[in-house]
Each structure stands twice: as structure tokens, then as C-alpha cells.
Amino acid sequence: MKQSIFTATGVECIAKNTYDLRLSGDTSDILRPGQFVNIALDGLFLRRPISVCDAEEGFLRLIFKAVGKGTERLAAAKAGDRFDILTGLGNGYDTEKSGRTPLLVGGGAGLPPMYMLAKELCSRGKKVYVAAGFNSADEIFLTDELAALGAEVVVCTADGSVGKKGFVTGAVAELSGKYTHMFACGPEPMLRAVWELCDSDGQFSFEERMGCGFGACMGCTCETITGPKRICREGPVIGKDEIKWKS
């Protein structure tokens, strides 16, 4: 974990209530796709955790939905604004387990970390499938960029306005037998549904309310088959066989 000052270089609305924020700063502690950062905002007591969409040396990209005071503040950022950010948080995805044909499943705000993951896997010559789920056409983002990396992208919309009609589970079911490992991120009902369909090993990224973001407060602890885990520290990524669903 590292605490650094980042400078906004630009922000853009790329879909309904969805913003693409780009910053410059020290990204040396961001080592794996699926990690997150924690951003301090003036006047707000708790930092805001945001998944890393992409990171290279000196460059950080965050894509998020503006759904509250913190994210609305980030959406209103201007070039030159400075932010106190904790980086290198969370365990991230273990890409060594991907096999030859990994499947990446992202639902809505769970899609951004799949970009950095797909970029790494495609660069290694993997045949990458991406199943991306949205409610409607005006919420779609990143799909063209994922395809440009070389991934085979299946878009699902709940209202059928673009791509396959229905939930992302439809795409997962159709890809049964084609993928060697599943990586997933999204709301818990989606994660549970794709977990039930998953016919390979897999890694699932969970969300919980966080106090500190680095394991000190224990506020985001959840139960797993192998015992309690802090989502911010031992997570947010949990192996398929470790998951203990709430009844």
C-alpha cells in the first residue's frame, strides 16, 4: 500500500451516470488487475474505494458510476485537481490460473477492472472471452475497447436494446465448455448466478462497505469456507471454492 498525491488529467461521461477519470501519479504499488484505490475527498470522513480500470507507469484510469456524494464529487473533477489516494489495495486476480481460454464476466460497474485484466491476458496470447451485462443501451461502456484488445465480447442488456436480451448469465451458459477459468466482478446476485453456472475454476471479486480499506478496522470481514476474510485485504477476489454464500 502506498499513499500518494494524484493529479486529474481529465474526466468524461462515457455512459449513463458513468465517468472515466484519468490521473497522473505514482502507480508502482498497483501490481495486479482487480486491485482498487481509496480516495480521500474534502468534507467526507471515509475514503471512497474505486476499482482500477487500468494503470501504467504514472497513469491511473478509474471508471465509476456517480451514485452518491463521493462519486459525484469525482465526476465533477477538473484537470489539475489533486487527490490523496491509497494505491495497491486488495489482492487482485491471479492471472497465472487463467488457462488458454479465460472468461471474464462483468456486470455494470463490475466491468472496469476487466479491462486491465483483458489487456494483460490478451498480451500473453490468450483467447479471451468477455461477457458484459448492462440494463440498457445507454449504460454500455468499454465494450469496444475490450474488443480492440482482441477479446471476444458478448454484450447482454436486460431490455434487449443491444446484444443478447437478458442477464449476463445467458452468455455464460452459451460459453459453457469453451472457457478454462472464470474471472467475475459485479453485484452479488450476479456473482452468485454465474457461480452456479461456472463449469471451471474461478475467481470472484466482491463488494463490501469499507471503513479503512487496508484491513485495520475489520469492518468488511465476510465468512468463507476457509474462515473469515477481510474483503479489502484478503479480498476483494475470492476463489470459487472458498465462497460461502449468505442464506
Side-chain angles (χ1 to χ4, degrees):
M1 180 187 72
K2 182 175 291 184
Q3 182 176 7
S4 302
I5 300 298
F6 280 73
T7 302
T9 58
V11 64
E12 178 184 3
C13 181
I14 57 173
K16 181 181 179 182
N17 297 328
T18 305
Y19 292 83
D20 185 344
L21 175 62
R22 301 179 185 227
L23 307 108
S24 62
D26 183 356
T27 57
S28 60
D29 264 25
I30 301 173
L31 305 176
R32 278 183 170 186
Q35 290 185 295
F36 67 96
V37 299
N38 221 4
I39 307 175
L41 295 164
D42 291 342
L44 299 177
F45 179 67
L46 295 177
R47 291 175 180 263
R48 267 37 181 190
I50 307 285
S51 295
V52 173
C53 175
D54 195 15
E56 296 178 358
E57 185 176 354
F59 166 76
L60 176 64
R61 183 183 186 189
L62 306 175
I63 293 180
F64 58 91
K65 286 189 173 293
V67 294
K69 290 181 180 179
T71 46
E72 287 173 358
R73 186 89 58 83
L74 288 173
K78 294 179 173 55
D81 286 353
R82 290 161 63 82
F83 295 95
D84 181 323
I85 300 180
L86 300 178
T87 63
L89 301 175
N91 56 353
Y93 293 107
D94 183 353
T95 56
E96 297 302 320
K97 297 180 178 180
S98 69
R100 292 180 294 122
T101 56
L103 169 60
L104 284 53
V105 184
L111 189 62
M114 296 301 160
Y115 180 79
M116 186 174 175
L117 178 58
K119 185 169 76 168
E120 180 173 328
L121 293 172
C122 286
S123 72
R124 296 186 188 181
K126 309 289 186 180
K127 169 65 175 176
V128 177
Y129 296 100
V130 178
F134 305 92
N135 289 318
S136 55
D138 60 355
E139 295 188 4
I140 294 174
F141 62 93
L142 270 185
T143 55
D144 289 343
E145 290 185 65
L146 286 161
L149 292 173
E152 183 174 317
V153 182
V154 181
V155 177
C156 302
T157 50
D159 65 1
S161 51
V162 174
K164 293 179 60 64
K165 182 176 182 179
F167 299 116
V168 75
T169 47
V172 173
E174 286 191 7
L175 290 167
S176 178
K178 293 185 177 181
Y179 59 90
T180 53
H181 192 86
M182 178 185 286
F183 299 91
C185 184
E188 190 165 314
M190 184 212 85
L191 292 179
R192 185 165 190 168
V194 298
W195 179 86
E196 291 173 348
L197 290 171
C198 182
D199 55 15
S200 72
D201 195 6
Q203 299 171 56
F204 294 71
S205 181
F206 285 80
E207 295 179 355
E208 287 287 343
R209 289 188 176 275
M210 297 180 187
C212 65
F214 50 85
C217 72
M218 310 292 286
C220 62
T221 300
C222 70
E223 287 297 327
T224 73
I225 297 299
T226 55
K229 288 194 172 184
R230 297 164 294 181
I231 290 297
C232 71
R233 188 74 174 180
E234 289 82 36
V237 178
I238 298 176
K240 175 188 173 185
D241 295 336
E242 297 179 85
I243 296 170
K244 185 176 182 179
W245 297 106
K246 300 170 186 174
S247 32

